[in-house]
Amino acid sequence: MTDLFTALRTPVALAEHAQVLPGFAADLADALHTAILEISATAPFRRMVTQRGHAMSVAMTSSGSAGWVSDRSGYRYTPADPETGAPWPAMPELFRKLAQAGAATSGFVDFAPDTCLINRYDPGAKMGLHQDRDEADFAQPIVSISLGLPAVFVFGGLTRTGPTRKVTLYSGDVVVWGGASRLAFHGIDALKPGTDPLCGPHRYNLTFRKAL
Ligand code: MD6
Ligand code: FE
């Protein structure tokens, strides 16, 4: 019989080729948090505007050879931070290794992320249902790491209006998806206020992708 802690870390399937790895990054939470603060000292968190001109409630920055940006002309990946003109901070080796380990654990052995988008949620911030489809190569999965306050992740299918399921993501949880689920719709419900021992009033999410 497996013990309680092993059971807690058993992958939770969301759909074909999509699963949560509970606590996979928990031991590295402190180091991840420190790296986020370092990156955001160079490339500050900012609330970008959508094509329609609405400020997003989630604040974002990036690391890696490409960073995700949104403005009145649409969504895209850029090699430099448009706020500073400087290249995005390098992706920390810790980030890359952890993302590759999560991917490999989920059956994606050759994951080569070139970007890590960092989302910061403050109470009330949310992300509507969307697909991640600004990347060149949908054969590569996405790996996402949650840190700080818990959030309700909404996971749907390949159409916007299909059924969804909800799962709470806790600090240290990793989500991996690709293959048949690579273009699944998903979002995050409004963050409930709280105080996380490490991240205070925030939730951070790191999403790793092969963008270019
Ligand atoms: C978030 N995540 O967890 C938002 N996208 O804050 C995403 O939008 C996401 O977690 C693709 C794959 C995994 C994700
Ligand atoms: Fe997404």
Coordinates of all heavy atoms in Angstrom, one line a residue, residues 31-98:
A31 N 13.6 28.8 -4.0 CA 14.6 29.1 -5.1 C 13.8 29.7 -6.2 O 14.3 30.7 -6.9 CB 15.4 27.9 -5.5
L32 N 12.6 29.2 -6.5 CA 11.8 29.7 -7.6 C 11.4 31.1 -7.3 O 11.5 32.0 -8.2 CB 10.6 28.8 -7.9 CG 10.9 27.4 -8.4 CD1 9.6 26.6 -8.4 CD2 11.4 27.5 -9.9
H33 N 11.0 31.3 -6.1 CA 10.5 32.7 -5.7 C 11.6 33.7 -5.8 O 11.5 34.8 -6.3 CB 9.9 32.6 -4.3 CG 9.4 33.9 -3.8 ND1 9.9 34.6 -2.7 CD2 8.3 34.6 -4.2 CE1 9.2 35.7 -2.5 NE2 8.2 35.7 -3.4
T34 N 12.8 33.3 -5.3 CA 14.0 34.2 -5.4 C 14.3 34.5 -6.9 O 14.5 35.7 -7.2 CB 15.2 33.5 -4.8 OG1 14.9 33.3 -3.4 CG2 16.4 34.4 -4.9
A35 N 14.2 33.5 -7.7 CA 14.5 33.8 -9.2 C 13.5 34.7 -9.8 O 13.8 35.5 -10.6 CB 14.6 32.4 -9.9
I36 N 12.2 34.5 -9.4 CA 11.2 35.4 -9.9 C 11.4 36.9 -9.5 O 11.3 37.8 -10.4 CB 9.8 35.0 -9.4 CG1 9.4 33.6 -10.0 CG2 8.7 36.1 -9.7 CD1 8.1 33.0 -9.4
L37 N 11.8 37.1 -8.3 CA 12.1 38.4 -7.8 C 13.3 39.0 -8.6 O 13.3 40.2 -9.0 CB 12.3 38.5 -6.3 CG 11.1 38.1 -5.5 CD1 11.4 38.2 -4.0 CD2 9.9 38.9 -5.8
E38 N 14.3 38.2 -8.9 CA 15.5 38.7 -9.6 C 15.1 39.0 -11.0 O 15.5 40.1 -11.6 CB 16.6 37.6 -9.6 CG 17.4 37.5 -8.3 CD 18.3 36.4 -8.2 OE1 18.5 35.7 -9.3 OE2 18.8 36.1 -7.1
I39 N 14.3 38.2 -11.7 CA 13.9 38.5 -13.1 C 13.1 39.8 -13.1 O 13.3 40.6 -14.0 CB 13.1 37.3 -13.6 CG1 14.0 36.1 -13.9 CG2 12.4 37.7 -14.9 CD1 13.3 34.8 -14.1
S40 N 12.2 39.9 -12.1 CA 11.3 41.1 -12.2 C 12.0 42.4 -11.8 O 11.5 43.5 -12.0 CB 10.0 40.9 -11.4 OG 10.3 40.7 -10.0
A41 N 13.2 42.3 -11.2 CA 14.0 43.5 -10.9 C 14.5 44.0 -12.2 O 14.8 45.2 -12.3 CB 15.2 43.2 -10.0
T42 N 14.8 43.2 -13.2 CA 15.2 43.6 -14.5 C 14.1 43.9 -15.5 O 14.1 44.8 -16.3 CB 16.2 42.5 -15.1 OG1 17.2 42.3 -14.2 CG2 16.7 42.9 -16.5
A43 N 13.1 43.0 -15.5 CA 12.0 43.0 -16.4 C 10.7 43.1 -15.5 O 10.2 42.0 -15.2 CB 12.0 41.8 -17.4
P44 N 10.3 44.3 -15.1 CA 9.2 44.4 -14.1 C 7.9 43.8 -14.6 O 7.6 43.8 -15.8 CB 9.1 45.9 -14.0 CG 10.4 46.5 -14.5 CD 10.8 45.6 -15.6
F45 N 7.1 43.3 -13.6 CA 5.8 42.9 -13.9 C 5.0 44.1 -14.4 O 5.1 45.2 -13.9 CB 5.1 42.4 -12.6 CG 5.5 41.0 -12.3 CD1 6.4 40.8 -11.3 CD2 5.0 39.9 -13.0 CE1 6.9 39.5 -10.9 CE2 5.4 38.6 -12.6 CZ 6.3 38.4 -11.6
R46 N 4.2 43.9 -15.4 CA 3.3 44.9 -16.0 C 2.0 44.3 -16.4 O 2.0 43.1 -16.8 CB 4.0 45.7 -17.1 CG 4.1 45.0 -18.5 CD 4.9 43.8 -18.6 NE 6.2 43.8 -18.2 CZ 7.3 44.1 -19.0 NH1 7.1 44.2 -20.3 NH2 8.5 44.0 -18.5
R47 N 1.0 45.1 -16.4 CA -0.3 44.6 -16.9 C -0.4 45.1 -18.3 O -0.5 46.3 -18.6 CB -1.5 45.2 -16.0 CG -1.5 44.6 -14.6 CD -2.5 45.2 -13.7 NE -3.9 45.2 -14.3 CZ -4.9 45.9 -13.8 NH1 -4.7 46.8 -12.9 NH2 -6.1 45.8 -14.4
M48 N -0.4 44.1 -19.2 CA -0.5 44.4 -20.6 C -1.9 44.7 -21.1 O -2.8 44.3 -20.4 CB 0.2 43.3 -21.4 CG 1.7 43.2 -21.1 SD 2.6 42.1 -22.2 CE 2.9 40.7 -21.1
V49 N -2.0 45.3 -22.2 CA -3.4 45.5 -22.7 C -3.6 44.6 -23.9 O -2.7 44.1 -24.6 CB -3.6 47.0 -23.2 CG1 -3.5 48.0 -22.1 CG2 -2.7 47.3 -24.4
T50 N -4.9 44.2 -24.0 CA -5.3 43.3 -25.1 C -5.5 44.2 -26.4 O -5.4 45.4 -26.3 CB -6.7 42.7 -24.8 OG1 -7.7 43.7 -24.7 CG2 -6.6 41.9 -23.4
Q51 N -5.7 43.4 -27.4 CA -5.9 44.1 -28.7 C -7.0 45.2 -28.6 O -7.0 46.2 -29.3 CB -6.2 43.1 -29.8 CG -6.0 43.6 -31.2 CD -5.8 42.4 -32.2 OE1 -6.1 41.3 -31.9 NE2 -5.2 42.8 -33.3
R52 N -8.0 44.8 -27.8 CA -9.2 45.8 -27.7 C -8.9 46.9 -26.7 O -9.8 47.8 -26.5 CB -10.4 45.0 -27.2 CG -10.9 44.0 -28.2 CD -12.1 43.3 -27.7 NE -12.8 42.6 -28.8 CZ -13.9 41.9 -28.6 NH1 -14.5 41.9 -27.4 NH2 -14.5 41.3 -29.6
G53 N -7.7 46.9 -26.1 CA -7.3 48.0 -25.2 C -7.6 47.9 -23.8 O -7.5 48.8 -23.0
H54 N -8.1 46.7 -23.3 CA -8.4 46.5 -21.9 C -7.1 46.0 -21.2 O -6.4 45.1 -21.7 CB -9.4 45.4 -21.8 CG -10.7 45.7 -22.4 ND1 -11.5 46.8 -22.0 CD2 -11.4 45.2 -23.5 CE1 -12.6 46.9 -22.8 NE2 -12.5 45.9 -23.7
A55 N -6.8 46.6 -20.0 CA -5.7 46.1 -19.2 C -6.0 44.7 -18.6 O -7.1 44.6 -18.1 CB -5.3 47.1 -18.1
M56 N -5.1 43.8 -18.8 CA -5.3 42.5 -18.2 C -5.2 42.6 -16.7 O -4.4 43.4 -16.2 CB -4.3 41.5 -18.7 CG -4.4 41.3 -20.2 SD -3.1 40.3 -20.9 CE -3.7 38.6 -20.4
S57 N -5.9 41.7 -15.9 CA -5.8 41.8 -14.4 C -4.5 41.1 -13.9 O -4.1 41.4 -12.8 CB -7.1 41.2 -13.8 OG -7.2 39.9 -14.1
V58 N -4.0 40.2 -14.7 CA -2.8 39.5 -14.4 C -1.6 40.3 -14.8 O -1.6 40.8 -15.9 CB -2.8 38.1 -15.0 CG1 -1.5 37.4 -14.7 CG2 -4.0 37.3 -14.6
A59 N -0.6 40.5 -13.9 CA 0.7 41.2 -14.3 C 1.7 40.2 -14.8 O 1.7 39.0 -14.3 CB 1.2 41.9 -13.1
M60 N 2.4 40.5 -15.8 CA 3.3 39.5 -16.5 C 4.7 40.1 -16.7 O 4.9 41.2 -16.9 CB 2.7 39.2 -17.9 CG 1.3 38.6 -17.8 SD 0.7 38.2 -19.4 CE -0.8 37.4 -18.9
T61 N 5.6 39.1 -16.8 CA 7.0 39.3 -17.3 C 7.4 38.0 -17.9 O 6.7 37.0 -17.9 CB 7.9 39.9 -16.3 OG1 9.2 40.3 -16.9 CG2 8.2 38.9 -15.1
S62 N 8.6 38.0 -18.5 CA 9.1 36.8 -19.1 C 10.6 36.6 -18.9 O 11.3 37.6 -18.6 CB 8.9 36.8 -20.6 OG 7.6 36.6 -21.0
S63 N 11.1 35.4 -19.0 CA 12.5 35.1 -19.2 C 12.7 34.1 -20.3 O 11.8 33.4 -20.7 CB 13.1 34.6 -17.9 OG 12.6 33.3 -17.6
G64 N 13.9 34.1 -20.9 CA 14.2 33.2 -22.0 C 14.6 34.0 -23.2 O 14.6 35.3 -23.2
S65 N 14.8 33.3 -24.3 CA 15.1 34.0 -25.6 C 14.0 34.7 -26.2 O 14.1 35.5 -27.2 CB 15.9 33.1 -26.5 OG 15.1 31.9 -26.7
A66 N 12.7 34.4 -25.7 CA 11.6 35.1 -26.2 C 10.6 35.4 -25.1 O 10.7 34.7 -24.1 CB 10.8 34.2 -27.3
G67 N 9.8 36.4 -25.2 CA 8.9 36.7 -24.1 C 7.5 37.1 -24.8 O 7.5 37.6 -25.9
W68 N 6.5 36.7 -24.1 CA 5.1 36.9 -24.6 C 4.7 38.3 -24.3 O 4.8 38.7 -23.2 CB 4.2 35.8 -24.0 CG 2.8 35.8 -24.6 CD1 2.4 35.1 -25.7 CD2 1.6 36.5 -24.1 NE1 1.1 35.3 -25.9 CE2 0.6 36.2 -25.0 CE3 1.4 37.4 -23.1 CZ2 -0.7 36.7 -24.8 CZ3 0.1 37.9 -22.9 CH2 -0.9 37.6 -23.8
V69 N 4.2 39.0 -25.3 CA 3.7 40.3 -25.1 C 2.3 40.5 -25.8 O 2.0 39.8 -26.8 CB 4.6 41.4 -25.6 CG1 6.0 41.3 -24.9 CG2 4.8 41.4 -27.1
S70 N 1.5 41.4 -25.3 CA 0.3 41.8 -25.8 C 0.2 43.3 -25.8 O 0.6 43.9 -24.9 CB -0.9 41.2 -25.0 OG -2.1 41.7 -25.4
D71 N -0.3 43.8 -27.0 CA -0.6 45.3 -27.0 C -1.7 45.5 -28.1 O -2.3 44.5 -28.5 CB 0.6 46.1 -27.3 CG 1.3 45.8 -28.6 OD1 0.6 45.2 -29.5 OD2 2.5 46.1 -28.7
R72 N -1.9 46.7 -28.4 CA -3.0 47.0 -29.3 C -2.9 46.3 -30.7 O -3.8 46.2 -31.4 CB -3.2 48.5 -29.6 CG -3.7 49.3 -28.3 CD -5.0 48.8 -27.8 NE -6.1 48.9 -28.7 CZ -7.1 49.8 -28.5 NH1 -7.1 50.6 -27.4 NH2 -8.1 49.8 -29.4
S73 N -1.6 45.9 -31.0 CA -1.5 45.2 -32.3 C -1.6 43.7 -32.2 O -1.5 43.0 -33.2 CB -0.2 45.6 -33.0 OG 0.9 45.3 -32.2
G74 N -1.8 43.2 -31.0 CA -2.1 41.7 -30.8 C -1.1 41.1 -29.9 O -0.4 41.7 -29.2
Y75 N -1.1 39.7 -30.0 CA -0.2 38.9 -29.1 C 0.9 38.4 -30.0 O 0.8 38.1 -31.1 CB -0.9 37.6 -28.7 CG -2.3 37.8 -28.0 CD1 -3.3 37.0 -28.4 CD2 -2.4 38.7 -26.9 CE1 -4.6 37.1 -27.7 CE2 -3.6 38.8 -26.3 CZ -4.7 38.0 -26.7 OH -5.9 38.1 -26.0
R76 N 2.1 38.3 -29.4 CA 3.3 37.8 -30.1 C 4.4 37.5 -29.1 O 4.3 37.9 -27.9 CB 3.7 38.7 -31.2 CG 4.3 40.0 -30.7 CD 4.2 41.1 -31.8 NE 4.6 42.4 -31.2 CZ 3.8 43.2 -30.6 NH1 2.5 42.8 -30.4 NH2 4.2 44.3 -30.1
Y77 N 5.5 36.9 -29.6 CA 6.7 36.7 -28.8 C 7.7 37.7 -29.3 O 7.8 37.8 -30.6 CB 7.2 35.3 -28.9 CG 6.4 34.3 -28.1 CD1 5.3 33.6 -28.7 CD2 6.6 34.1 -26.7 CE1 4.6 32.7 -27.9 CE2 5.9 33.3 -26.0 CZ 4.9 32.6 -26.5 OH 4.1 31.7 -25.8
T78 N 8.5 38.3 -28.4 CA 9.5 39.2 -28.8 C 10.8 38.8 -28.2 O 10.8 38.3 -27.1 CB 9.2 40.7 -28.4 OG1 9.1 40.7 -26.9 CG2 7.8 41.1 -28.9
P79 N 12.0 39.2 -28.8 CA 13.3 38.9 -28.2 C 13.6 39.8 -27.1 O 14.5 39.5 -26.3 CB 14.2 39.0 -29.4 CG 13.6 39.9 -30.4 CD 12.1 39.7 -30.2
A80 N 13.0 41.0 -27.1 CA 13.4 42.0 -26.1 C 12.1 42.5 -25.4 O 11.0 42.4 -25.9 CB 14.1 43.2 -26.8
D81 N 12.3 43.0 -24.2 CA 11.2 43.6 -23.4 C 10.9 45.0 -24.0 O 11.7 45.9 -24.0 CB 11.7 43.7 -21.9 CG 10.7 44.3 -21.0 OD1 9.6 44.8 -21.5 OD2 10.9 44.4 -19.8
P82 N 9.7 45.1 -24.5 CA 9.3 46.4 -25.1 C 9.3 47.6 -24.1 O 9.5 48.7 -24.5 CB 7.9 46.2 -25.6 CG 7.4 44.9 -25.1 CD 8.6 44.1 -24.6
E83 N 9.3 47.3 -22.8 CA 9.3 48.4 -21.8 C 10.7 48.9 -21.6 O 10.8 50.1 -21.3 CB 8.8 47.8 -20.4 CG 7.4 47.4 -20.3 CD 6.5 48.6 -20.2 OE1 6.7 49.5 -19.4 OE2 5.5 48.6 -21.0
T84 N 11.7 48.1 -21.8 CA 13.1 48.5 -21.5 C 13.9 48.5 -22.8 O 15.0 49.1 -22.8 CB 13.8 47.6 -20.5 OG1 13.9 46.3 -21.0 CG2 12.9 47.6 -19.2
G85 N 13.5 47.8 -23.8 CA 14.4 47.6 -25.0 C 15.5 46.6 -24.8 O 16.2 46.2 -25.7
A86 N 15.6 46.1 -23.6 CA 16.7 45.1 -23.3 C 16.2 43.7 -23.5 O 15.0 43.4 -23.4 CB 17.2 45.2 -21.8
P87 N 17.1 42.7 -23.9 CA 16.7 41.3 -24.0 C 16.0 40.9 -22.7 O 16.3 41.3 -21.7 CB 18.0 40.6 -24.2 CG 19.0 41.6 -24.6 CD 18.5 42.9 -24.1
W88 N 15.0 39.9 -22.8 CA 14.4 39.3 -21.6 C 15.5 38.7 -20.8 O 16.5 38.2 -21.4 CB 13.4 38.3 -22.0 CG 12.2 38.9 -22.8 CD1 11.9 38.8 -24.1 CD2 11.1 39.6 -22.2 NE1 10.8 39.5 -24.4 CE2 10.2 40.0 -23.2 CE3 10.8 40.0 -20.9 CZ2 9.1 40.7 -23.0 CZ3 9.6 40.7 -20.6 CH2 8.8 41.1 -21.7
P89 N 15.4 38.7 -19.5 CA 16.4 38.0 -18.7 C 16.6 36.5 -19.1 O 15.6 35.9 -19.5 CB 15.9 38.1 -17.3 CG 15.0 39.3 -17.3 CD 14.4 39.3 -18.7
A90 N 17.8 36.0 -19.0 CA 18.0 34.6 -19.4 C 17.1 33.7 -18.5 O 16.8 34.0 -17.3 CB 19.4 34.2 -19.2
M91 N 16.7 32.5 -19.1 CA 15.9 31.6 -18.3 C 16.9 30.9 -17.3 O 17.8 30.3 -17.8 CB 15.3 30.5 -19.2 CG 14.3 29.6 -18.5 SD 13.7 28.3 -19.5 CE 12.9 29.1 -20.8
P92 N 16.6 31.0 -16.0 CA 17.5 30.3 -15.1 C 17.5 28.8 -15.3 O 16.5 28.2 -15.7 CB 16.8 30.6 -13.7 CG 15.9 31.8 -13.9 CD 15.5 31.7 -15.4
E93 N 18.7 28.2 -15.1 CA 18.9 26.8 -15.4 C 18.0 26.0 -14.5 O 17.4 24.9 -14.9 CB 20.4 26.5 -15.0 CG 21.1 25.5 -15.9 CD 20.6 25.5 -17.4 OE1 20.5 26.5 -18.0 OE2 20.4 24.3 -17.9
L94 N 17.7 26.4 -13.3 CA 16.7 25.8 -12.4 C 15.4 25.7 -13.1 O 14.7 24.6 -13.0 CB 16.6 26.6 -11.1 CG 15.4 26.2 -10.2 CD1 15.6 24.8 -9.6 CD2 15.3 27.3 -9.1
F95 N 14.9 26.7 -13.7 CA 13.6 26.7 -14.4 C 13.6 25.7 -15.5 O 12.7 24.9 -15.6 CB 13.3 28.1 -15.1 CG 12.9 29.2 -14.2 CD1 13.1 29.2 -12.8 CD2 12.2 30.3 -14.7 CE1 12.6 30.2 -12.0 CE2 11.8 31.4 -13.9 CZ 12.0 31.3 -12.5
R96 N 14.7 25.7 -16.3 CA 14.7 24.8 -17.5 C 14.7 23.4 -17.0 O 13.9 22.5 -17.5 CB 15.9 25.1 -18.3 CG 16.0 24.4 -19.7 CD 17.4 24.6 -20.4 NE 17.7 26.1 -20.5 CZ 17.2 26.9 -21.4 NH1 16.4 26.4 -22.3 NH2 17.5 28.2 -21.4
K97 N 15.6 23.1 -16.1 CA 15.7 21.7 -15.6 C 14.4 21.2 -15.0 O 14.0 20.0 -15.2 CB 16.8 21.6 -14.5 CG 18.2 21.8 -15.1 CD 18.9 20.4 -15.3 CE 20.1 20.5 -16.2 NZ 21.1 21.4 -15.7
L98 N 13.7 22.0 -14.2 CA 12.5 21.6 -13.6 C 11.4 21.4 -14.6 O 10.7 20.4 -14.5 CB 12.1 22.7 -12.6 CG 10.9 22.5 -11.6 CD1 11.1 21.1 -10.9 CD2 10.8 23.6 -10.6

